[in-house]
Amino acid sequence: VAMPPDTLSMGASGGTDDLIILWDLHNGEEKHSLSGHEGEVVMIDFNNTGALLVSGAMDETVRVWCTVTGVCLQKLVGHTGEVHSVVFNCFGNTVASGSVDTTCRLWDVHTGRSRVLRGHTAAVTDTAVSPDGWLCASGSEDGTIRIWDVLTGGCVSLLAGHKEGICRVMFAGPDGRLLISSSMDATVRVWDLDTGDCKQVLRGHKGVVIIEYNTQSDRILSMARDNTCRLWKLEDPHNTLVGMTSLMIAQSLPLYTSTQESEADIPPLLKAYLDKRRRKFMDDAQPKMVAPNVE
């Protein structure tokens, strides 16, 4: 599932039926059904304007789509294994992809040509591009993270420390000079890209960890198969994690989150019900502040 930056009007989903569906989020109706992949769609991402969508699939291909017409603009062929990750750069002219074939590729959206980034010894599970577009990060099942120079294709840093494979990598901090990674070793790590040092090791989860990062609040949300979410705050200017809130997810409890603007669209009875459920959830969760571990 993906949404374009700074918009709540459109979303996309990809699935095991080999299709990508573009949705109008105002009325919940299907805008386009994008067909062409011959395998499960694993990852999708919008460019910065929402005009383009990129998809990676188990058929070993990457495709670029026009979200206005639903037409496939590029079929990018080169990987020799399932594609697990695709992401646009900030300019929307380059796509970084990662594959089971242990390589990353940097694709020119307009020409379809690619630069191959080699170095990992196992499947590449995730890729990310820095906010300025000049660095690419890749995480692998070999437990390492590699930082690549987008211009030259050279590996400028190797980040090692996780005990098992990498799940997610994300650039963070006001200038993108931090990297956050999560792993199947149940930890989250924060790296200083200027030095290559691991600044923090965040422990507490049990099982595979997935992360999201909010640039506006400098908070990291980590989610794991232990049915918990942990919210970590990244504090400037020292770039240290000062605290953590842990919330147990009640499997039978639906949660609703919304912006202040969208609250007005919720029917009053439903809003009252949701407010009641959220208050009960917060009372039952009893979040605690726990000092992060350092390694």
Side-chain angles (χ1 to χ4, degrees):
V1 177
M3 292 177 61
D6 304 321
T7 181
L8 295 175
S9 62
M10 178 172 57
S13 59
T16 56
D17 56 4
D18 308 348
L19 297 176
I20 302 160
I21 307 297
L22 291 178
W23 302 94
D24 185 325
L25 298 185
H26 290 310
N27 54 30
E29 294 182 356
E30 178 182 316
K31 294 180 62 175
H32 295 292
S33 177
L34 312 182
S35 62
H37 281 298
E38 298 177 356
E40 177 181 346
V41 178
V42 180
M43 183 67 72
I44 54 178
D45 186 46
F46 285 95
N47 73 338
N48 54 350
T49 66
L52 299 178
L53 180 87
V54 64
S55 58
M58 295 181 71
D59 62 6
E60 304 179 358
T61 69
V62 175
R63 287 177 179 259
V64 179
W65 311 82
C66 173
T67 60
V68 177
T69 63
V71 172
C72 179
L73 303 177
Q74 289 278 8
K75 178 182 178 181
L76 307 176
V77 179
H79 282 299
T80 58
E82 300 166 1
V83 178
H84 281 185
S85 177
V86 288
V87 62
F88 274 106
N89 70 346
C90 58
F91 306 110
N93 58 7
T94 300
V95 167
S97 62
S99 170
V100 171
D101 65 11
T102 75
T103 70
C104 297
R105 284 179 179 256
L106 298 174
W107 303 89
D108 185 311
V109 171
H110 303 295
T111 66
R113 296 178 180 177
S114 69
R115 182 191 298 273
V116 185
L117 310 180
R118 304 182 189 277
H120 286 296
T121 58
V124 176
T125 52
D126 197 27
T127 53
V129 180
S130 62
D132 61 11
W134 294 111
L135 294 176
C136 174
S138 59
S140 170
E141 288 183 358
D142 64 15
T144 68
I145 301 151
R146 288 178 178 264
I147 309 299
W148 310 88
D149 185 313
V150 171
L151 188 62
T152 66
C155 181
V156 298
S157 185
L158 174 64
L159 309 178
H162 282 293
K163 308 303 181 185
E164 295 185 43
I166 307 300
C167 300
R168 292 294 304 275
V169 290
M170 305 187 77
F171 286 90
D175 54 1
R177 299 308 299 174
L178 297 177
L179 188 96
I180 308 167
S181 60
S182 66
S183 169
M184 290 182 281
D185 65 10
T187 69
V188 177
R189 288 179 178 251
V190 180
W191 307 85
D192 186 328
L193 295 183
D194 291 325
T195 63
D197 296 332
C198 179
K199 296 174 65 66
Q200 299 282 345
V201 181
L202 313 180
R203 297 184 175 90
H205 282 299
K206 298 178 181 179
V208 176
V209 179
I210 301 297
I211 51 172
E212 291 294 339
Y213 171 69
N214 187 292
T215 56
Q216 295 180 340
S217 65
D218 270 344
R219 282 173 167 80
I220 305 167
L221 177 66
S222 59
M223 301 156 279
R225 290 181 178 175
D226 57 10
N227 295 328
T228 65
C229 293
R230 291 174 183 262
L231 187 64
W232 311 81
K233 182 178 180 182
L234 195 62
E235 183 171 292
D236 291 323
H238 305 295
N239 291 327
T240 59
L241 289 159
V242 297
M244 177 273 289
T245 301
S246 176
L247 302 178
M248 176 65 69
I249 303 175
Q251 293 182 352
S252 61
L253 177 64
L255 297 179
Y256 181 91
T257 59
S258 64
T259 63
Q260 290 183 347
E261 290 78 12
S262 62
E263 288 280 356
D265 300 329
I266 305 174
L269 290 177
L270 177 58
K271 183 177 185 299
Y273 170 77
L274 292 170
D275 288 342
K276 181 179 179 180
R277 295 298 297 269
R278 281 183 288 193
R279 285 195 299 270
K280 183 179 186 302
F281 174 75
M282 294 303 295
D283 290 340
D284 293 344
Q286 297 180 349
K288 301 177 181 179
M289 297 302 295
V290 180
N293 294 308
V294 180
E295 181 174 280

